[in-house]
Amino acid sequence: MSNAAPTHAIVTVASWEPRWKASVEALLVENPHAMLYILYSTRYADWTAEVRRDVLAAAHDAGTEASETQIDLERPGTAWQAAVDVTVTLHAAGVTGVALDGTTMPREMTWFLLHALGELRMDVDYAYVPVGSYGDWLSKESLEPRLVLKRSGILFPDKPTCVVAMSGFDLGRLNQLVSYFEPARVEIARQIGDRYGNLGRNNPQLSENARHADIFEFDGFDLTGASHAVLKKRIEPLVPDFNVLLASLGPKLASVTAFEITEELPEVALVYIPSSSYNREYSKGEDMARRTVRRIRRRDQGERWQADLSERAGTMGASVASPSN
Amino acid sequence: MVLTNPFEYEAASSLDPERISSWFIDDHNYARFIKSRRNIIIDGDRGSGKSMILVYHALENELARAEADGVDPDLSNVGIYVPSNNPLLQRSEHKQALEGAQRDIISERYLTFTILAAIGKALKSVEDRLDDAERGTVLDELRYLMPADKLTGVASPSTYVSRYVRDALRIDQEALAKGLGFDFSFDTSSFYIHILPVLEALRNTKPFTQTHFSLLVDDAHMLEPYQQRIVNSWLGYRDHSLFSLKVAIAGFRNYDLKTTFGGNILEGHDYTAVNLYRPFQNLESEYGMFAVKVVERRLRQAGIIAKVQDFFPPSPAFVRDLDNAKKKAEALAVRRGIDPNDRKAFNDFRYKFGRAIYFRERSPRANKPQYSGFETISHLSTGVIRSLLNLCYTMYERQLSVSKKAPKLIPSDIQREIILEASDKQWEFVRGELDKSIAHCSPGDAAMIERLFRRLAEYFRQRLLHHESEPRVLVFSISAFDRVRDAELIRLLELAEEAQLLYVRSGTAKSGGGRENYYVLNRMLFPAYGLDVQGQHGRASLKAEDLLAAARHDKPFPNATALDPPLEQGELFDV
């Protein structure tokens, strides 16, 4: 993305986590002439009020046009409409490229925005800043799994179901997913490495419903395209025989890989498990050394994605390389 | 050679006809309902065998069995299996984005196409029974109902139906995925437009002249509310000459009985309710006998001729100690002045106290009891056949890994090991997983459920060790309950039920006549607390305020040794 282009915007969902501010500030530095568009959850408006003020002030100081909009993230229909409104507004303002700050953005909202921005042919760079250290838990009180609006695949009643889950350390949600859909087949992409105690947390037993799951290793932090290829290779042969439901329960970066899989394989449905309870003390600090910015691959772009990736790997060094575990 | 575990279990809808036929225990009570022309709602816990009953009676499986038996299939009542847990029915547009007529159109269209696809699948298995003229007649009707230029050359009715459904659904879903809006112009699809005429067309062919079609709608609680109302409206259709519905649900609590017309369907008028909750007080009970049949069938198919009770033998020490305890109970009965010639009173005392004495006389420092024997395993499954198979499966796997050859029996120490591990795992789930695994369960709810269940386990242990007349009561009912004041308690119990930690049953009320709910804890929770997994006739009556105090404040239940109000009449099934 050009640093000086006035046709660019930063889109983010405000969070109380310290890394959110760090991520937006980095994007403001990299995109000094971009518009800043902050979405914030009505439910958690109080939790984010102070930091939003700080970020808006920083944008103002940098001479960046900034605005903020409340959204109801608990109601997917409303959140989807907010994603559409943002996209249409940016498009009408002549924006052609967006830096999407996925650092603390709920996966479902990320997918909504990626879909809407893609529909209007906008280039999207996805930015992500890992936390410095994690607390005990981020979210609890999960609700029923749901298929994602506009990304619900092509499903047929006479096909059995296959759940493909990119798992993290929270296997409770994986068990919930399997128990809900009772799929004929379960594929688990297990996150490799020991990042943030992943190995230690990734060992609880699967429920009896998933006892025959096929488990393969996967690096959700990978940016080289290798993990994308691993996942695609597992999923593509399943598509003719199964309704494939793809869930991203591990690293957030993997949710972007999941989106790109559905760009290539539109029959595959994305599944989301919402939560209604968040831990305000979940994360501490930010890990800017492992900050990532990567171009989103759209179905109408074909091979351009790989070229973008190579180009950016050359120009941005560590920020687009695969973070080691 | 890879040995197959004879206790393997899968979702019924994933099984091939051969496995269904070989695994299913034909219970003629249920067959009578499925084969009737009445509308039926089958109510049962997850894992209780609802799907298996429906799948077993689906046409494809009936035909496979008839062929294997070398007999002509009976086509007087044809079952068409319709799964509701297909993700097509869970798509988001109608659940989350659309409202009003648009939502209803899509919702009904998906449901109709799901049933059409099921009809197509069933038709495929019988269309070779239609002659060319009959196929042509059915195809004419299909082309009229579902015109599609692309399918002009298709000569098979089942292929026509399945391709039509797939093509239409692909076009629908691609349209919904496009763009930023949800503009669509789908044709209306409904039962009366697409299902009824197809069934009528089939009935006009010779093989189906006398056929009644049973639409076997499985897991209907998974349907979204509008789809449930559509199904209910069909249930309200009183003419059963052509079709009826057999609808399986996991509890009426999860199923809305309203119709699309705003009314409600009524038991007796619109449907007959059949519940799968089988009494399980011992191996002679309905569930006990069923459990024996299920496991015995698996053993025979694996070439094992042992009796179920011999394949899962109880620990000899456990049997001996239990016998001794029963003798002590007899002696105690005499000391308490019960005349041994009064057989009823004497046997009743021994029944209540024999096992209790075994548990009471164990040293507090002793290891956990020798939980073993098929009867124990059967009780631990709490009437859920999937839980029974899960235990047997795990025990078989463990023994196989120890002995490296096909087990001829599962030694009691292996049984005990697996039972205690499974009980610990169940408590780990209670302690750490509820809010992660159960929708709408907050961390606060999870903590309250954990406290409540721990206190209940302690309460039942106190009863077992100290109660003067009913020591082995293992279920409870709620007294002094106020629906509004105690709403939180019901919510917690419903979450626990969702997690299958608890089962709700209905029985004769303790006072005032009528019926009341009573609560059965998942017996798998008991071994970790050293409890007897076999209960006795009777229910503990616990006050709503005490249950809430346990949940909220971790308060022990008072008066674990107090007498319970008597049941007004014998209730044999609630142990």
Side-chain angles (χ1 to χ4, degrees), chain A residues 140 147 150 153 155 179 211, chain B residues 8-9 46 92 178 181 435:
Chain A
K140 288 194 175 179
L147 302 191
K150 290 286 180 186
L155 307 168
S179 164
R211 70 192 186 287
Chain B
E8 180 60 84
Y9 55 100
R46 291 183 75 173
S92 301
K178 259 191 210 152
D435 51 336

Side-chain angles (χ1 to χ4, degrees), chain B residues 143-341:
Chain B
R143 290 197 172 104
Y144 171 73
L145 295 168
M146 302 172 251
D149 294 341
K150 241 175 107 176
L151 303 178
T152 308
V154 173
S156 147
S158 68
T159 305
Y160 192 97
V161 170
S162 60
R163 286 193 188 168
Y164 178 84
V165 167
R166 284 211 177 191
D167 288 350
L169 284 173
R170 179 174 286 281
I171 292 166
D172 287 2
Q173 293 175 89
E174 283 175 350
L176 287 167
K178 259 191 210 152
L180 300 179
F182 293 100
D183 301 323
F184 63 91
S185 55
F186 303 153
D187 294 332
T188 301
S189 298
S190 73
F191 190 79
Y192 299 101
I193 294 172
H194 281 131
I195 309 292
L196 212 51
V198 172
L199 296 180
E200 280 168 348
L202 284 174
R203 248 258 289 257
N204 287 332
T205 61
K206 201 174 165 195
F208 299 108
T209 313
Q210 303 297 322
T211 296
H212 173 89
F213 294 96
S214 286
L215 298 176
L216 313 172
V217 183
D218 198 6
D219 290 325
H221 55 278
M222 292 283 287
L223 298 170
E224 58 96 10
Y226 187 74
Q227 288 165 343
Q228 290 184 5
R229 290 178 184 200
I230 293 169
V231 169
N232 294 339
S233 300
W234 301 342
L235 282 165
Y237 191 79
R238 298 284 171 84
D239 177 0
H240 298 154
S241 56
L242 179 63
F243 77 95
S244 60
L245 289 114
K246 276 72 185 179
V247 178
I249 60 172
F252 279 92
R253 176 170 68 76
N254 300 312
Y255 192 75
D256 185 352
L257 293 171
K258 290 194 184 71
T259 68
T260 51
F261 309 115
N264 271 39
I265 50 169
L266 298 171
E267 186 178 355
H269 288 278
D270 301 305
Y271 69 93
T272 302
V274 174
N275 80 50
L276 296 189
Y277 310 126
R278 303 170 203 245
F280 68 102
Q281 70 272 30
N282 54 48
L283 288 186
E284 281 73 48
S285 68
E286 191 184 333
Y287 176 76
M289 288 192 291
F290 181 65
V292 168
K293 281 183 193 169
V294 167
V295 173
E296 197 170 69
R297 173 79 63 92
R298 301 298 189 96
L299 290 177
R300 296 295 171 273
Q301 284 163 4
I304 300 166
I305 52 164
K307 282 175 68 178
V308 170
Q309 291 89 333
D310 295 335
F311 192 76
F312 294 101
S315 145
F318 180 62
V319 173
R320 184 196 61 222
D321 292 349
L322 213 49
D323 280 345
N324 287 339
K326 281 178 184 166
K327 284 180 189 136
K328 287 179 183 173
E330 288 170 0
L332 181 63
V334 171
R335 285 204 300 279
R336 288 198 181 176
I338 300 172
D339 180 358
N341 294 318

Side-chain angles (χ1 to χ4, degrees), chain A residues 76-77 80 84 88 115-116 119-120 140-144 146-150 152-159 161 170 172-173 176 179-182 184 205-206 208-209 211-212 243 245 267 277, chain B residues 8-10 14 46 85-88 90-93 95-97 113-114 117 166 169-170 173-174 176-182 219 222 386 390 393 425 433 435-443:
Chain A
W80 160 254
V84 171
V88 169
H115 178 92
E119 284 294 313
L120 295 186
K140 288 194 175 179
E141 195 177 351
S142 54
L143 308 177
E144 285 91 0
R146 62 189 180 217
L147 302 191
V148 175
L149 275 171
K150 290 286 180 186
S152 300
I154 310 288
L155 307 168
F156 298 113
D158 52 355
K159 274 188 184 181
T161 302
D170 185 357
R173 286 193 188 192
Q176 185 193 1
S179 164
Y180 186 79
F181 286 106
E182 294 193 326
Q205 285 194 310
L206 292 169
E208 46 110 6
N209 291 321
R211 70 192 186 287
H212 293 316
N243 290 319
L245 310 182
E267 295 87 352
S277 176
Chain B
E8 180 60 84
Y9 55 100
E10 291 287 343
S14 305
R46 291 183 75 173
N85 63 355
N86 189 287
L88 171 73
Q90 307 284 325
R91 282 185 65 94
S92 301
E93 297 86 12
K95 291 178 85 172
Q96 292 154 16
F113 279 5
T114 298
R166 284 211 177 191
L169 284 173
R170 179 174 286 281
Q173 293 175 89
E174 283 175 350
L176 287 167
K178 259 191 210 152
L180 300 179
F182 293 100
D219 290 325
M222 292 283 287
R386 191 187 293 170
N390 184 25
Y393 177 94
K425 190 177 163 193
E433 295 290 320
D435 51 336
K436 293 177 195 160
S437 306
I438 304 301
H440 307 287
C441 181
S442 71

